[in-house]
Amino acid sequence: MAKLYLTTPLYYVNDKPHIGHAYTTILADVIARHHRIIGNEVFFLTGTDEHGQKVQEAAAKRNVDPKKHVDEYVTRFKELWKRLNISHDDFIRTTETRHTDRVQELLNNLFERDEIYLDEYEGLYSVAEERFVTEKEVEEGDFRQIKKLKEKNYFFRMSKYQNALIQHIENHPEFIKPKSRWNEVLGFLKKPLNDLCISRPKDRLNWGIEIPFDREYVTYVWFDALLNYVTAIGWGTNKVNFAKWWPADYHLMAKDILTTHAVYWPTILMAANISLPKTIFSHGWWLMEESKMSKSLGNVINPIDLIDEYGVDPLRYYLMRDMVLGMDASFTLDRFVQRYNSDLANDFGNLVNRVTMLIRKHFDGKIPKSGDYNETDLKLIAEAKTIPHTVRKLFGDMKIHDAVENTLVLIRKINTYLEIKSPWKSIKDDNSQGGDAATTLALAADVLRIGSQLLNPIMPEKSQSILNILGASSIPLVDTSIGQLKSGVVLGEGKSPFPRIISV
Ligand code: MSP
């Protein structure tokens, strides 16, 4: 049995969770569920990033203590993950002592070893981004609220690790995925890397982890937050657990925070003498029209509205099916409805209804007994044997949209198979056990069972309810071999799984 440790970013607790946050978390959930089904041991971590200027300001605006503010706001994420059926093993908040204590220990340790030093720095500071920026960055990027600032701060010797990092990336093509992002980071590292300012004076910001060797400062949010990936699994406190899970197999995130993960994070780990994660996986953005969905643009879609209206699994399905991992995708309600109606209502849902109705009507609601297979049957059996391997491999390779599409290919093949064999016609002459209609319906139900198992990581609830309807709920999800749905099995109760959406 292999292990898999995967993480989502720690979302800013201040933000109201939207489709973008939901996407990364659902993606992690799908991968976690896939690995659990095939028998791997999984640790899936998510959580919230709770320090920094924006939190301090938001709390002040509401006239509440920042701790109280984050305690209230974190529930929005926790509740959404519950509604989305997210199966995380842990939820870490950067204000928990299991995290803050370790961050302070590391700061002390790095300071003692001269990996951190005090310096006076004069430069351009972006209040919105809460960090110093270079003139070039200001010219190129859209940094807001820039001001000149001269102050003493603590710096991490990030530049010292530039060459080691370049070498690591060059030697490990799997370290940053997809390939285009790997190239991008190496491109970024062609320019000299500055040391990283990791403190903020308390007179500007006090909602942060206090720098243990200088109580006039708090820690820069990014230095604090990234460390969650090791503090959550017991780095510095629980050697056994840490050794079991580290290095992380996947850090998932969108491209907006690739540099912090692919540059800051590995250099911090190098300084702390911790090995590097295996893969940093950066996906694209969900766009609304042409712009990134984000709170500041006010163009966010609230996942709760979609769940209330259409259910959780169709949303999970749409997000996984319509984004090619690594590329941007546009979110539109029209497209969501189209996808739902064509894939789920027409191809999948109608098939479930059709097969189970015929079995109920003509075979007493029990899976009929197959007779000899003809060429058409054997063709479907051959597909049902190969497609699950392809799908599992695609899941393992993080080609989630392809895994979904290939499963739908199998579902559509069952539909074509039924059209060719037309059991609704032949059954009028022969509804015997072992007859052609019986064989057709038994095989269609069995292959449909396989398709439903394969879609389980994407749509856990719907998959389970369809498996119940088919009388297949006791078959282990991992067992997608043909013939597991035996004759005589009684179909279960259940409504039509995907009623058509009539209008938006
Ligand atoms: N707090 C930092 C991360 C610290 S990790 C140690 C942060 N938080 S965030 O709330 O802004 O979350 C950013 C992440 O949310 C993205 O990297 C991505 O995973 C997800 N998304 C937010 N908006 C998104 C889209 N519009 N599209 C896709 N994913 C998006 O950055």
Side-chain angles (χ1 to χ4, degrees):
M1 186 168 69
K3 73 93 191 171
L4 186 98
Y5 175 30
L6 86 160
T7 67
T8 72
L10 292 202
Y11 304 108
Y12 288 127
V13 73
N14 242 6
D15 288 357
K16 189 161 179 220
H18 60 66
I19 289 285
H21 307 115
Y23 174 75
T24 315
T25 315
I26 294 170
L27 175 65
D29 186 62
V30 167
I31 298 164
R33 285 176 185 271
H34 160 75
H35 280 272
R36 290 193 197 106
I37 290 170
I38 62 168
N40 291 333
E41 204 181 351
V42 173
F43 192 77
F44 163 18
L45 176 70
T46 186
T48 39
D49 190 350
E50 304 196 344
H51 292 121
Q53 193 116 20
K54 285 174 203 145
V55 174
Q56 181 174 305
E57 280 163 10
K61 218 167 156 186
R62 294 178 65 219
N63 215 1
V64 297
D65 172 70
K67 179 68 173 89
K68 186 158 178 279
H69 173 80
V70 295
D71 285 349
E72 281 171 28
Y73 274 44
V74 70
T75 56
R76 301 193 296 193
F77 280 93
K78 289 195 167 173
E79 274 161 21
L80 179 61
W81 297 164
K82 211 179 273 165
R83 293 225 41 204
L84 285 171
N85 275 325
I86 302 301
S87 63
H88 50 284
D89 298 286
D90 197 356
F91 187 107
I92 188 160
R93 303 176 54 193
T94 54
T95 47
E96 291 173 66
T97 50
R98 63 168 167 156
H99 175 74
T100 53
D101 287 356
R102 299 293 87 66
V103 172
Q104 289 190 324
E105 273 165 29
L106 181 68
L107 286 166
N108 269 333
N109 175 290
L110 295 182
F111 189 55
E112 274 162 26
R113 293 194 286 118
D114 191 39
E115 298 280 353
I116 288 175
Y117 61 95
L118 182 66
D119 198 10
E120 183 158 61
Y121 184 81
E122 181 169 16
L124 301 172
Y125 186 83
S126 156
V127 179
E129 297 287 318
E130 296 178 40
R131 70 172 178 93
F132 283 102
V133 286
T134 60
E135 276 182 21
K136 191 136 190 266
E137 276 180 314
V138 175
E139 271 166 36
E140 287 171 355
D142 55 343
F143 290 98
R144 285 165 298 135
Q145 296 170 269
I146 304 290
K147 62 178 183 186
K148 250 208 168 126
L149 206 67
K150 182 175 176 179
E151 68 186 16
K152 277 197 168 169
N153 265 309
Y154 289 92
F155 290 82
F156 162 56
R157 294 194 191 279
M158 186 158 76
S159 59
K160 181 173 146 186
Y161 296 98
Q162 178 163 10
N163 285 338
L165 178 60
I166 293 174
Q167 251 180 26
H168 183 86
I169 298 174
E170 280 175 346
N171 294 337
H172 296 85
E174 76 293 350
F175 183 60
I176 301 166
K177 280 189 180 170
K179 184 77 201 290
S180 54
R181 302 279 169 232
W182 183 89
N183 282 325
E184 192 181 302
V185 175
L186 276 179
F188 173 84
L189 286 168
K190 288 216 169 88
K191 291 179 284 185
L193 198 57
N194 292 326
D195 287 347
L196 182 67
C197 176
I198 54 123
S199 67
R200 297 291 180 266
K202 270 196 189 163
D203 53 18
R204 268 201 298 126
L205 169 73
N206 59 39
W207 182 239
I209 302 178
E210 196 168 74
I211 299 272
F213 44 83
D214 189 340
R215 307 213 166 259
E216 296 303 310
Y217 291 87
V218 295
T219 313
Y220 169 47
V221 269
W222 270 103
F223 188 89
D224 147 12
L226 286 162
L227 282 164
N228 89 87
Y229 301 132
V230 294
T231 59
I233 51 167
W235 173 69
T237 51
N238 186 339
K239 266 201 174 122
V240 176
N241 202 58
F242 183 68
K244 174 170 175 183
W245 295 111
W246 193 256
D249 295 85
Y250 288 107
H251 289 317
L252 302 180
M253 79 226 51
K255 58 189 178 181
D256 50 342
I257 50 175
L258 177 63
T259 312
T260 47
H261 281 81
V263 179
Y264 296 8
W265 180 225
T267 55
I268 295 170
L269 288 167
M270 283 175 182
N273 292 316
I274 303 174
S275 59
L276 302 194
K278 287 187 197 150
T279 299
I280 289 163
F281 197 105
S282 152
H283 60 74
W285 281 332
W286 280 99
L287 309 173
M288 289 293 285
E289 315 283 334
E290 298 296 301
S291 352
K292 182 186 174 223
M293 198 186 290
S294 75
K295 192 175 113 186
S296 49
L297 291 175
N299 60 356
V300 294
I301 297 250
N302 182 352
I304 299 277
D305 295 343
L306 288 174
I307 300 171
D308 286 344
E309 185 81 24
Y310 307 108
V312 55
D313 282 349
L315 174 63
R316 291 174 60 113
Y317 180 86
Y318 170 73
L319 292 178
M320 292 302 109
R321 173 62 186 81
D322 260 35
M323 180 175 270
V324 177
L325 263 184
M327 320 270 279
D328 291 345
S330 277
F331 190 101
T332 73
L333 201 53
D334 278 351
R335 189 136 176 80
F336 169 82
V337 171
Q338 255 174 37
R339 212 10 114 201
Y340 176 98
N341 278 339
S342 70
D343 291 8
L344 299 179
N346 287 359
D347 294 345
F348 195 18
N350 281 348
L351 179 63
V352 175
N353 296 341
R354 214 172 190 189
V355 171
T356 52
M357 257 161 53
L358 286 168
I359 295 178
R360 283 187 216 284
K361 187 161 169 203
H362 299 282
F363 295 98
D364 233 6
K366 291 182 195 150
I367 300 290
K369 195 170 164 41
S370 299
D372 291 339
Y373 291 130
N374 69 17
E375 216 173 286
T376 315
D377 302 319
L378 290 171
K379 224 172 113 190
L380 182 65
I381 292 174
E383 301 283 6
K385 283 186 175 165
T386 52
I387 290 181
H389 293 286
T390 314
V391 170
R392 292 258 153 86
K393 168 122 187 21
L394 289 166
F395 268 121
D397 292 346
M398 308 278 282
K399 302 216 165 98
I400 310 297
H401 62 286
D402 281 337
V404 177
E405 184 46 28
N406 273 268
T407 312
L408 260 287
V409 166
L410 181 63
I411 302 280
R412 288 186 201 113
K413 288 201 189 279
I414 310 173
N415 276 316
T416 316
Y417 166 77
L418 286 179
E419 291 301 326
I420 297 170
K421 294 203 72 183
S422 303
W424 44 89
K425 282 188 201 151
S426 60
I427 209 157
K428 289 182 190 140
D429 303 323
D430 178 9
N431 72 342
S432 63
Q433 295 287 344
D436 192 55
T439 306
T440 304
L441 290 172
L443 184 59
D446 196 31
V447 181
L448 187 49
R449 183 263 312 172
I450 295 172
S452 312
Q453 287 172 316
L454 291 174
L455 286 171
N456 188 274
I458 311 276
M459 298 193 288
E461 275 181 23
K462 288 290 180 191
S463 149
Q464 210 52 60
S465 74
I466 293 168
L467 290 169
N468 287 341
I469 295 175
L470 294 171
S473 51
S474 61
I475 301 169
L477 288 173
V478 66
D479 191 350
T480 44
S481 60
I482 197 98
Q484 295 308 313
L485 191 57
K486 308 284 186 214
S487 67
V489 163
V490 182
L491 298 187
E493 298 285 314
K495 297 188 295 201
S496 175
F498 300 107
R500 218 182 144 72
I501 301 174
I502 307 295
S503 63
V504 185

